[in-house]
Amino acid sequence: MSGLKDKFHRTIDYMRISITDRCNLRCVYCMPSDGIRPIEHKKILRYEEIVRILRIAATLGVEKIRITGGEPLVRKDISSLISMIKGIEGITDISLTTNGVLLEQYAEALAAAGLNRINISLDSLRPERYREITRGGDIHVVFRGIKAAEKAGLGPIKINMVPIRGFNSDEITDFAKMTMTSSYQIRFIEFMPFGKHNMWSPDKFISAEEIRAAVEGIGRLVSLPLKKSGPARHFQFEGAAGVIGFISPISNHFCAECNRLRLTADARLRPCLFSESEIDLKPALWRDATDEELERLIKLSIQIKPKGHNLRIQNAELRTLLNAKQDYMRPMSRIGG
Ligand code: SAM
Ligand code: SF4
C-alpha cells in the first residue's frame, strides 16, 4: 500500500507516536523546572491500543513509525511495544527519539526487539552547560548511551541539536566538527515556539540559514541529494565521515512535503505539529468502537491536515501572535517532538 493522500495530494505514510508525556529531564526550553502536570494515567494509551491503531493505520499505508515523548524510555517495557509494532504487516521502519539518559541500559534490548534507528537529543557538549540546559542531566551518561546504541547496531547515530542564541549557539561549530571524524549525523533544528514555558523569543531564534553560515565558516559544505519527504536538508564537509542536516520548520517550512501524522500519548491524532486541531480517539476506544470506526477517524485526521502553517518570524505582527499563542499551545513534551 502506498499511503493515503490528503486534500493537498501529500502521501501520509509516517506516524510519530508519543508514548508518554513524562520525562526524566527538564530541558529549559521544553519544560518548567517543576515539570508539567502529567496526563492522568487512565487517559494514556495502553500498548495494545497503540498497536491496534497502528495496525489500522498500516492498512491505510502508514509504513514508518517514530516513537517519542516526553521521554519514551521512561515508559515501562518499551521493548515489548517495539516487538509488537515490528509484527505489524506493512510497517517497515521503526525509529525512536530519546534524550539518551537510559540508553546505556536499554540499547541492546531495543535493537533486539526490532528498533531500526535512533535519534538522540543533545544541546551542548559541555558537561556544566548540559547540566544547566537539562536542569541536572549528566552528559557522561548520554555519551555512554550513544556508544551503547552504536554497539547495538542502532547507527548511524543521529544527534539533534537546537541552537538558541546566547545560550548554546557558540557550540554550533563544535557539533559540526564531530562529523569530520565520526559517522554521526548532526541535525540542527530551529528553535520553535511551544507552550508558555519554552522561553522562545524572536531574538533567541536562529534560522537554519544562519546556522549553516556558521558551519560554513569552518569548511566547505557539499550538498547531498534530497531525501524524499524528510524535513532535513543534508550536507557534508568534503571527505567527512558524517553528515550535517538542517531542519527549518520556521524559516523555510517543509509543509508541502509533509508526510506525517502524530498520535499523542492521550490518544489524539494530530495532523500538524503547529495546529491545535486534533481528533480524539479516546471516546471511540472507550466505547469499544469497531476497527472501521477507528479507520474513519484516522482518515478524517488526514483530511483535516492543514496545507501549511504560518509561523514566519519576519513580521512584527506575527511575532506578537506567536508570543500570545504560547499560552494555549500544547507543550512539545505533550505533543511528541
Ligand atoms: N525526550 C526526547 C528527546 O528529548 O529527544 C523526545 C521528546 S523531545 C520533545 C523531542 C525533540 O524535540 C528533542 O530533540 C528536543 O530537542 C525537541 N524540542 C523540544 N522543544 C523544542 C522546541 N521548542 N524547538 C525545537 N525543538 C524542540
Ligand atoms: Fe524531556 Fe525531551 Fe523535553 Fe528535554 S526535550 S525536557 S528530554 S521531553
Side-chain angles (χ1 to χ4, degrees):
M1 178 104 193
S2 61
L4 213 59
K5 294 254 192 239
D6 73 357
K7 277 196 306 203
F8 305 100
H9 314 291
R10 294 169 297 197
T11 301
I12 310 303
D13 58 7
Y14 176 36
M15 205 152 154
R16 288 176 87 105
I17 313 159
S18 171
I19 61 169
T20 180
D21 63 332
R22 293 170 194 249
C23 188
N24 46 4
L25 293 179
R26 296 280 179 273
C27 300
V28 292
Y29 62 86
C30 181
M31 283 210 190
S33 56
D34 51 354
I36 289 172
R37 193 159 49 91
I39 297 171
E40 280 174 83
H41 200 259
K42 64 170 191 213
K43 291 189 178 162
I44 298 282
L45 279 171
R46 288 180 286 114
Y47 285 167
E48 293 71 24
E49 291 171 323
I50 294 176
V51 170
R52 181 177 178 209
I53 295 164
L54 290 187
R55 192 167 284 125
I56 299 167
T59 65
L60 297 174
V62 168
E63 296 172 342
K64 286 168 278 178
I65 303 293
R66 175 170 295 277
I67 301 171
T68 179
E71 172 48 40
L73 298 187
V74 300
R75 187 147 172 196
K76 233 168 125 185
D77 204 14
I78 181 179
S79 300
S80 75
L81 173 67
I82 289 168
S83 38
M84 286 192 262
I85 298 175
K86 194 75 184 168
I88 300 176
E89 199 183 323
I91 302 292
T92 55
D93 187 77
I94 311 174
S95 57
L96 178 118
T97 301
T98 173
N99 59 29
V101 170
L102 295 172
L103 206 46
E104 187 179 22
Q105 201 175 324
Y106 292 129
E108 230 174 84
L110 292 168
L115 186 70
N116 298 105
R117 292 174 300 109
I118 203 152
N119 284 37
I120 297 145
S121 307
L122 188 63
D123 299 304
S124 174
L125 297 169
R126 304 178 191 172
E128 258 324 295
R129 184 181 277 173
Y130 180 80
R131 191 180 296 283
E132 242 176 74
I133 293 180
T134 57
R135 296 200 182 91
D138 178 352
I139 202 167
H140 302 292
V141 173
V142 180
F143 288 152
R144 291 203 298 272
I146 294 175
K147 292 281 169 232
E150 279 183 290
K151 191 164 163 233
L154 293 171
I157 302 290
K158 292 185 181 174
I159 295 181
N160 292 350
M161 189 231 186
V162 179
I164 301 175
R165 194 183 310 284
F167 197 63
N168 61 354
S169 43
D170 53 344
E171 289 189 63
I172 291 172
T173 50
D174 295 342
F175 273 88
K177 276 181 200 158
M178 285 165 68
T179 66
M180 290 178 171
T181 50
S182 81
S183 61
Y184 295 164
Q185 192 179 112
I186 303 291
R187 295 147 54 93
F188 295 105
I189 305 175
E190 284 178 348
F191 185 25
M192 298 178 266
F194 278 106
K196 60 182 168 193
H197 311 290
N198 103 326
M199 70 179 251
W200 191 94
S201 67
D203 53 309
K204 293 202 180 74
F205 171 81
I206 312 181
S207 68
E209 197 182 337
E210 191 181 334
I211 301 168
R212 186 173 149 185
V215 172
E216 281 177 326
I218 56 169
R220 203 174 89 77
L221 284 179
V222 183
S223 166
L224 298 177
L226 274 182
K227 238 184 83 199
K228 194 179 144 265
S229 302
R233 299 287 173 257
H234 294 107
F235 297 83
Q236 201 166 34
F237 288 125
E238 272 173 346
V243 170
I244 296 174
F246 299 98
I247 305 182
S248 53
I250 305 282
S251 67
N252 181 16
H253 59 71
F254 32 83
C255 303
E257 301 147 46
C258 184
N259 62 343
R260 60 191 59 182
L261 183 62
R262 291 182 146 81
L263 177 64
T264 67
D266 56 347
R268 287 156 193 265
L269 284 170
R270 185 173 174 116
C272 172
L273 181 59
F274 292 106
S275 161
E276 297 300 302
S277 304
E278 295 173 335
I279 301 240
D280 192 353
L281 296 181
K282 275 192 301 300
L285 289 167
W286 285 358
R287 67 176 158 74
D288 265 336
T290 60
D291 282 1
E292 287 69 31
E293 283 175 83
L294 289 173
E295 180 179 318
R296 192 181 58 76
L297 292 171
I298 296 172
K299 283 182 172 164
L300 185 63
S301 73
I302 293 174
Q303 286 319 303
I304 63 164
K305 188 172 168 72
K307 186 171 183 191
H309 70 71
N310 296 312
L311 299 186
R312 292 209 176 260
I313 54 139
Q314 292 91 331
N315 126 1
E317 210 177 303
L318 266 172
R319 284 181 196 177
T320 322
L321 195 69
L322 276 177
N323 286 330
K325 243 187 168 183
Q326 295 188 34
D327 284 337
Y328 69 81
M329 275 178 95
R330 260 184 188 249
M332 189 72 144
S333 60
R334 276 249 168 116
I335 305 169

